[in-house]
Amino acid sequence: TGSIAYGYFVHGRRTGPMRPPPSPTMRMVAIACQTIGLVGLSQFLPKIQPPIVLERQEVNKIETNQIKKGGDQGKGQGFFSFQAQCPFDFSQKLTSQEDSITGMKRVTRHPMFWTMSFLSAGVLFRTQFFTEVVMFSGPIFTTLICGYHLDSRQRSGNDGVNISQREATETSFIPFLALLEGRQSWFKLSEEMKISNAGAGILLSVLLWSRRRGSTLPAAVWRKS
């Protein structure tokens, strides 16, 4: 992996033969794939949370000067204060064996493989260089071949790990297929997703798109501005 990355960034990035510029449709597909990939990648990270929160602190005030027999001796009072916390929530809910299909597993059985593929497709559909087309086609073929091979071995039990009948029935190899067919619940997926992380992934995708869109504008536009 390191040698491939070195060869690409040093010798292959934005060099070599070029194909015609991508059409608007291909650009939209690239943006969609990039966004899905970044949102998927964000789900593997700790949940993002505000570093400072406003909390209500309860204080019990005991009245000592007017205590009536059988009366209320204290009244609950409170005040708001700012509390600092870690911007990442490292606590994870443990799932039982019966509830092992959660989160990204509802989208596909191989979420990491497909996250890598969507990110690669985001570059594949927008680049004009054939070297980058070849480079970013690799992860997609890896997902298709290795994912299918992994499912086959688990079904046969050759690697000592058998895929459960429930997982094989209720999940899908192709992303979103089980959700579209009704085998998984969109509502449960929305409850289990890290919404703040997904928002950060979408924001990053918009920023990357805006940066690339600005870098492709003609120089005359920048001079006028």
Side-chain angles (χ1 to χ4, degrees), residues 50-57 79-85:
I52 299 177
V53 294
L54 187 64
E55 293 184 351
R56 178 181 174 84
Q57 303 291 330
F79 63 92
F80 290 95
S81 64
F82 290 99
Q83 300 291 330
Q85 63 179 2

Side-chain angles (χ1 to χ4, degrees), residues 95-102 105-106 109 162-172 178 183-184 188 192:
T95 56
S96 62
Q97 186 69 20
E98 298 180 354
D99 194 26
S100 60
I101 305 175
T102 59
K105 278 291 189 72
R106 299 186 185 277
R109 280 194 295 274
N162 291 326
I163 185 172
S164 65
Q165 183 64 29
R166 175 171 175 261
E167 185 175 352
T169 304
E170 298 183 6
T171 62
S172 61
R183 288 182 284 158
Q184 283 296 328
K188 290 183 179 179
E192 295 165 356

Side-chain angles (χ1 to χ4, degrees), residues 4 20 36 41 52 76 84-85 90 150 153-154 165 175 201 208:
I4 295 175
I36 294 174
L41 181 63
I52 299 177
Q85 63 179 2
F90 291 96
L150 183 61
R153 288 186 62 85
Q154 288 182 343
Q165 183 64 29
L208 291 174

Side-chain angles (χ1 to χ4, degrees), residues 4-18:
I4 295 175
Y6 174 82
Y8 167 69
F9 285 107
V10 176
H11 301 289
R13 186 171 184 267
R14 304 188 68 82
T15 59
M18 296 179 64

Side-chain angles (χ1 to χ4, degrees), residues 112-125:
M112 182 57 77
F113 271 150
W114 282 107
T115 295
M116 176 179 61
S117 295
F118 277 115
L119 290 174
S120 299
V123 180
L124 176 65
F125 283 106

